[in-house]
Amino acid sequence: MKKIWIVIIIIAVAAVIAMFRFLKPEKPQIEQVADTSVVKPVEITKAKRGEIRSELQLSGTIEAIAQVNVFPKIAGRIIELPIKEGEKVNVGQTLAVVEHEELKLSVQQAEAVLDAANAAYSQTEQLAEVRVHTQVTQARAQLHAAEISLKQVKDLAEIRTVTQIDQAEAGLKSLEANLEKIKSGARDEDRRQAEAGLNQAKSNLLNAENNYARIENLYKNGAISLQSFENTKTQLDITSAQHKIATEQLQLITSGAREEDITAMEAQVEQAKASLRLVHTQAETKTWQKDIALAQSQVDSAQAGLTSAQALVEAKSWKAEITSAHTNLTQAEIALKLARKKLRDATIEAPISGIISQRFLDLGGMAAPTAPLFEIVDVDTVKATIDLIESQLSRISLEQKADIAIDGVNTPITGVISYISPTLQPVRRTATVEFSIENTEGILKPGMFAKVTLPVEIRPDAVLIPRVSLIEDAKNKTRNVFIVEAGVSEQRPVEIGLTSGGQVEIRKGLNGGESVIVAGQHSLKVGDSVTVVNQ
């Protein structure tokens, strides 16, 4: 029981102590009990109002605002070179001339082509419509010729085939009769018949030759098929063979038949039978119908040609021909312009105004489009180029002014931000910033080292004190100062703003004109008696 009461008493005491600490306000850790028996010497300064600015101290390199390598557009030997290094040139000024005799000839050739295109265009304007109407006339003539050929084919086709059958049958009968007569012996009547057969064979041969000539002409004009033409040739061959046979028969009858003559006559009979079968086969296939169809297709084609020619007239196609001629004229004009441009390219001109900083070739050297001839720099305006880390980029803007310092140049120099890179370098995490600087007197040279002071924030009416007066409280993360009030030290927590050099801006905690201790404050306690030694 006694142990329980002891525990209760301990808990109660702990609670009272905790409540006392809660109710009692805490003082800053550095606040100590003042010892008023000792007067401590200090130095003070007055908190004053004035301008303070936050600045970036940067370094960079002076570069030309424009630096251009001048390349020739054509290759060739340099025949004129009037410019030397160090000379000032203006935009468009001649720097060099490359040999260009072939280019002059190309211009002359293009001029000749243009003259021809002009003449062709003029002629087309005058004759194009006439040519289209002439095509219509020619198409009508071709249609008329095709219609005549079709009529000839129709007239000759089937009749020719029937006639061939009759001739083949007659020839076979004649041969069979002659064979019989040869076997039985010749008579005067047989001789007369043989002579009549020969005469008929001659007549048939003449008709076959005339028919072949007509068919050959139709075939050449495309009015009949190759098969019909070959059939006509075959018929001519048959008729020629029959004429030969009739001639031989008459000779046999006149001289008398021998065994070999009889055998030959039998062979001729078999050949005549085969010819008759061939003619019948041709008749059965009705090849004349193919000839008629082919001739009809020639008529249809000619009709289509006429329709097409008439459509050209209706569509006024000569206008398209005139347009084409005009297009050729335009192309010739463009070709001439290109030739003249290449000739102009032989003269190398300054693309910018500036100074010739380098000349890479001498007179007589070989210019090439891949190698520069000159380097031109424009230094009337230069730029200071710096690299800025990403945390600083949000504090700058275009057209912002900066002070530029260059060793050896005592004249005040002002630069203006003219370019801020939209991207960062991946490795260094920096962005390129350029300051434009007027350099009309040419004092600044590319390659000089530049120190750039860039104000990023300015406060014209700030409460300022020396930075050395601040006391850092690392534990509580605060800053304090000691001031003097009626010979006694007083501690003030302060909120600082901008810093510049040895000055610091006080945003809260001090007013202008208050006495701030700048020496001896680190040994002070609140309420210490102090004596000012710097007054």
Side-chain angles (χ1 to χ4, degrees), residues 103 106-107 110 334-344:
L103 297 178
S106 296
V107 170
I334 293 173
L336 177 58
K337 290 179 181 179
L338 290 174
R340 287 174 175 169
K341 180 184 180 300
K342 288 184 178 180
L343 180 59
R344 289 195 302 271

Side-chain angles (χ1 to χ4, degrees), residues 232-416:
T232 303
K233 180 66 169 60
T234 301
Q235 185 59 40
L236 176 62
D237 294 340
I238 292 172
T239 306
S240 178
Q242 289 175 346
H243 175 266
K244 181 180 179 182
I245 291 170
T247 302
E248 292 174 351
Q249 287 177 349
L250 180 59
Q251 291 177 351
L252 286 173
I253 292 173
T254 302
S255 59
R258 296 172 298 175
E259 186 65 30
E260 57 270 23
D261 295 332
I262 295 173
T263 302
M265 182 59 69
E266 290 174 343
Q268 290 175 4
V269 170
E270 292 301 321
Q271 183 178 1
K273 290 179 180 179
S275 297
L276 180 59
R277 288 194 297 270
L278 176 60
V279 173
H280 277 292
T281 300
Q282 292 175 353
E284 291 172 359
T285 57
K286 298 183 179 179
T287 57
W288 66 84
Q289 293 181 352
K290 296 180 182 178
D291 294 340
I292 293 172
L294 180 59
Q296 182 63 53
S297 70
Q298 295 293 327
V299 172
D300 295 340
S301 177
Q303 180 63 58
L306 176 58
T307 302
S308 176
Q310 290 172 335
L312 292 176
V313 173
E314 293 174 1
K316 298 182 179 180
S317 64
W318 56 85
K319 291 186 177 180
E321 189 176 351
I322 293 173
T323 300
S324 177
H326 186 267
T327 300
N328 293 334
L329 175 60
T330 302
Q331 290 174 342
E333 290 172 344
I334 293 173
L336 177 58
K337 290 179 181 179
L338 290 174
R340 287 174 175 169
K341 180 184 180 300
K342 288 184 178 180
L343 180 59
R344 289 195 302 271
D345 289 343
T347 300
I348 301 162
E349 298 177 347
I352 63 171
S353 297
I355 297 173
I356 302 295
S357 58
Q358 291 189 74
R359 193 184 79 181
F360 298 100
L361 286 180
D362 295 323
L363 186 65
M366 291 299 295
T370 56
L373 285 180
F374 303 94
E375 181 185 73
I376 302 177
V377 293
D378 180 3
V379 292
D380 287 344
T381 301
V382 295
K383 60 185 178 181
T385 302
I386 64 171
D387 289 331
L388 213 61
I389 61 176
E390 57 182 318
S391 61
Q392 297 171 330
L393 290 174
S394 61
R395 306 176 68 186
I396 67 171
S397 60
L398 291 173
E399 304 301 326
Q400 193 171 346
K401 293 183 178 180
D403 295 327
I404 311 294
I406 296 177
D407 291 340
V409 179
N410 298 323
T411 305
I413 302 171
T414 300
V416 177

Side-chain angles (χ1 to χ4, degrees), residues 214-224 229:
R214 289 193 301 270
I215 296 301
E216 184 180 27
N217 185 53
L218 290 173
Y219 171 70
K220 288 180 179 180
N221 291 330
I224 64 171
F229 173 68

Side-chain angles (χ1 to χ4, degrees), residues 499-514:
T499 60
S500 177
Q503 295 283 89
V504 62
E505 176 193 16
I506 301 300
R507 304 298 298 273
K508 289 182 180 180
L510 278 180
N511 296 315
E514 292 190 274

